[in-house]
């Protein structure tokens, strides 16, 4: 979790439990977010939490907070950075294979394969379709 608080939304619920108050955006004159659908509020809280980091600019937060539901913004991506991704074997195996293929291509091109790495932690539940030949060691990665 970032320590930055670009919009002054960071609050503590109890010791060790930090969240970002979306109503603080209205208090600071950014936008009244009470009118937003819950799904948009979830996305907004996520980008507020990451504002000022690599993929989320303050203008991204402001644009989503001011969204009125009538216009579709095709000119920008919406960052979403979940804390963790959970994939079942039939969806996760292709993702792992894609990562392995990208790393192999980077290596063939003379690059550094470790640069190909997910941005968020990923848990893969593998029941039977992946065989774990190595685990818990550097070579397994």
């Amino acid at each position: 979790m970032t320590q930055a608080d670009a919009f002054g939304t960071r609050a503590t619920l109890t010791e060790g439990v930090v969240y970002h108050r979306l109503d603080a955006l209205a208090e600071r004159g950014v936008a009244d977010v009470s009118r937003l659908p819950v799904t948009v509020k979830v996305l907004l809280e996520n980008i507020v939490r990451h504002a000022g980091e690599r993929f989320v600019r303050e203008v991204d937060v402001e644009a989503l907070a001011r969204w009125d539901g009538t216009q579709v913004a095709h000119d920008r991506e919406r960052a979403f950075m979940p804390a963790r991704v959970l994939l079942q074997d039939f969806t996760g195996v292709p993702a792992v294979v894609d990562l392995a293929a990208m790393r192999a291509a980077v290596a063939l091109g003379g690059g550094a394969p470790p640069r190909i790495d997910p941005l968020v932690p990923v848990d893969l539940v593998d029941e039977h379709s992946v065989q774990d030949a190595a685990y818990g060691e550097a070579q397994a990665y």
Side-chain angles (χ1 to χ4, degrees), residues 18-119:
V18 175
Y19 70 104
H20 289 260
R21 294 178 43 243
L22 294 182
D23 60 340
L25 294 173
E27 293 168 6
R28 286 169 175 64
V30 175
D32 175 17
V33 299
S34 64
R35 63 186 167 56
L36 293 174
V38 172
T39 53
V40 175
K41 288 179 182 179
V42 169
L43 294 173
L44 181 59
E45 189 278 337
N46 186 264
I47 64 173
V48 164
R49 181 177 297 275
H50 294 284
E53 292 180 2
R54 182 176 175 191
F55 296 104
V56 182
R57 300 168 300 163
E58 291 182 17
V59 294
D60 297 326
V61 172
E62 293 166 358
L64 188 56
R66 293 182 181 130
W67 181 69
D68 65 4
T70 62
Q71 297 180 2
V72 177
H74 297 290
D75 63 333
R76 69 176 61 225
E77 291 183 7
R78 301 285 183 225
F80 180 62
M81 303 180 74
R84 182 161 303 281
V85 176
L86 177 63
L87 299 171
Q88 195 173 6
D89 59 352
F90 67 90
T91 56
V93 169
V96 171
V97 170
D98 287 348
L99 283 171
M102 286 188 281
R103 285 181 174 186
V106 167
L108 284 173
R115 293 194 66 200
I116 305 299
D117 201 14
L119 295 175

